[in-house]
Amino acid sequence: VDWNLEQHVNIAPSHPGLWTVGGALHGFAVDYHEASALRPEFAQTRRSVLADGFAQYDWTRTEQANVHLGLRAHYFSLGSYLHLSPRVRVRLFPDQHVTVHAGYSRNPQFLHRLALQTTSSADVWITSNERNAPSYANHVSTGLTVSPVPTMSVRVDAYYKVIDNVWQHETVTALRRSDVSVLFAPWSTDNRTVARGLELMHQQRLGAARWTNSYALSRVELQSDGLNGGEHFPTDWDRRHQFTSQLQVTHGAWTGALTGLYATGTPNPWAQWVDAEPERLNPYHRLDASLVYERALGDGVTFTVTASVFNLYDRANPWYRDPVAVLLRTGPRRRIGFRVVDVYDLGIQPAFNVSVRFGG
């Protein structure tokens, strides 16, 4: 259970710029219960409060630069953690054909999502506590945007991000764990990820059509003293190359879109145990389609109908690999063995949605 209250106030002083100040109060109630054949039964109940106070200053009344400064203070009751989150973002020559931007932010994370790799289950949420510290992310980015004509833009971004105290469930780390210590909880937090990458985006407007292409070259590595002998290794979600292309056409109240995605395969953790296993899974690619009808029915009332198809050509995309039991025949005898096989993402998936919104 997660409840929150938030209030902020915008202040426009006589000098240039806009101030935003405020605060937020979050309450978390988490009951975690796990029964596993690998460990004794584990149960945990946590109640916590997160209090935030923040201030932000935006200076955008100049042709030379836009500046955004922010500072947020956090207090988390379990462990009495008190932290500051600064943020700065600068954009030079915002109204010119070539603009340059750079930024830095530091953010703690007190609510963590645990993925269970070997179980068909929704993701699990757990909070930091006296024994397990929050995660901390330091993010640096820079880039530029080139717009030679109003109908076309090209953007280049580079980033470097380090996250300490990354939470992972033992079903994800079991294949790489090299120590034999018994975890006090079915998750580990002594993990550190380093992400870096280069992203390109091209956008072209052609009358009622908009064509957007993006490419990402990235690397995400994880390091932990208890995993892989303490050496850095690619995370399970690391994809070296990703390319997306979308064509969107709008005519009156109708908007149609085709979106294609291609990505190289993620690492295969079974490769270190089975010689015949590939280092990475096969590439991932699919085509999605959508059609939206949106119309205003009156003052503040909007009617929307959406039809979409996920994975239009029904591609069997590998999501991860997992061992399954099979019946093997050795001469006249039969025995139970295991084979590592692909677990696929969703196949073709149509969807339909109707909504009516009231208010602004």
Side-chain angles (χ1 to χ4, degrees):
V1 178
D2 173 12
W3 60 263
N4 70 86
L5 301 171
E6 183 171 347
Q7 177 66 50
H8 70 269
V9 178
N10 294 326
I11 304 173
S14 58
H15 58 80
L18 175 67
W19 284 93
T20 302
V21 297
L25 185 66
H26 292 260
F28 302 109
V30 177
D31 294 320
Y32 186 100
H33 179 207
E34 178 177 323
S36 170
L38 303 177
R39 61 163 57 251
E41 186 172 339
F42 180 85
Q44 183 183 90
T45 299
R46 297 285 185 177
R47 303 291 183 267
S48 57
V49 174
L50 172 64
D52 289 353
F54 58 87
Q56 179 174 315
Y57 177 68
D58 300 305
W59 183 39
T60 59
R61 300 180 183 179
T62 175
E63 297 180 356
Q64 302 301 318
N66 290 347
V67 180
H68 305 272
L69 304 174
L71 182 64
R72 183 183 288 264
H74 313 266
Y75 174 77
F76 191 69
S77 60
L78 290 182
S80 298
Y81 296 104
L82 181 61
H83 293 284
L84 295 177
S85 299
R87 180 176 68 89
V88 57
R89 183 171 178 82
V90 178
R91 188 180 183 190
L92 302 178
F93 318 114
D95 299 324
Q96 304 300 317
H97 293 296
V98 179
T99 64
V100 181
H101 57 268
Y104 166 76
S105 65
R106 174 178 171 83
N107 296 289
Q109 181 178 340
F110 301 95
L111 183 63
H112 312 273
R113 184 179 66 179
L114 301 180
L116 308 182
Q117 181 169 314
T118 58
T119 303
S120 298
S121 166
D123 290 335
V124 177
W125 296 87
I126 196 74
T127 60
S128 301
N129 51 63
E130 302 87 345
R131 177 174 292 174
N132 304 124
S135 302
Y136 305 97
N138 289 280
H139 188 191
V140 179
S141 63
T142 186
L144 61 87
T145 302
V146 180
S147 301
V149 293
T151 58
M152 186 183 75
S153 66
V154 177
R155 177 167 174 161
V156 181
D157 283 281
Y159 65 89
Y160 183 81
K161 187 174 185 178
V162 178
I163 305 178
D164 293 301
N165 300 337
V166 176
W167 290 49
Q168 288 195 301
H169 194 268
E170 65 174 353
T171 58
V172 178
T173 61
L175 286 178
R176 298 187 181 273
R177 181 161 291 278
S178 56
D179 59 7
V180 293
S181 62
V182 177
L183 300 174
F184 290 102
W187 55 75
S188 64
T189 63
D190 58 338
N191 307 298
R192 186 173 193 256
T193 61
V194 178
R196 52 194 181 275
L198 180 69
E199 298 181 353
L200 308 174
M201 186 178 70
H202 161 260
Q203 191 170 88
Q204 180 76 53
R205 291 186 178 274
L206 303 169
R210 183 178 64 185
W211 185 29
T212 304
N213 300 288
S214 63
Y215 167 75
L217 172 64
S218 63
R219 182 189 299 268
V220 187
E221 294 182 327
L222 189 142
Q223 189 277 327
S224 174
D225 293 339
L227 298 177
N228 203 44
E231 298 292 330
H232 286 78
F233 61 92
T235 62
D236 292 339
W237 58 90
D238 175 67
R239 293 186 186 273
R240 197 58 44 83
H241 304 278
Q242 295 187 69
F243 176 75
T244 303
S245 183
Q246 182 188 72
L247 180 62
Q248 179 177 299
V249 180
T250 300
H251 180 71
W254 295 90
T255 300
L258 282 175
T259 304
L261 170 66
Y262 174 86
T264 52
T266 55
N268 177 18
W270 296 98
Q272 65 175 330
W273 302 101
V274 182
D275 292 337
E277 284 293 304
E279 291 293 329
R280 288 181 175 265
L281 305 186
N282 290 330
Y284 182 107
H285 57 84
R286 71 171 197 265
L287 180 66
D288 301 336
S290 66
L291 183 63
V292 179
Y293 175 80
E294 185 171 273
R295 182 178 178 180
L297 299 181
D299 187 17
V301 181
T302 304
F303 175 71
T304 305
V305 179
T306 303
S308 61
V309 180
F310 177 90
N311 198 357
L312 192 61
Y313 52 80
D314 201 19
R315 154 82 173 179
N317 282 303
W319 195 244
Y320 62 91
R321 288 178 69 78
D322 208 31
V324 297
V326 296
L327 184 63
L328 302 177
R329 174 176 293 178
T330 306
R333 297 183 177 181
R334 294 183 178 182
R335 60 184 179 86
I336 298 295
F338 290 90
R339 291 289 184 268
V340 182
V341 299
D342 284 330
V343 177
Y344 296 116
D345 192 13
L346 290 176
I348 186 170
Q349 186 79 15
F352 185 75
N353 181 71
V354 179
S355 67
V356 179
R357 299 196 310 271
F358 300 89

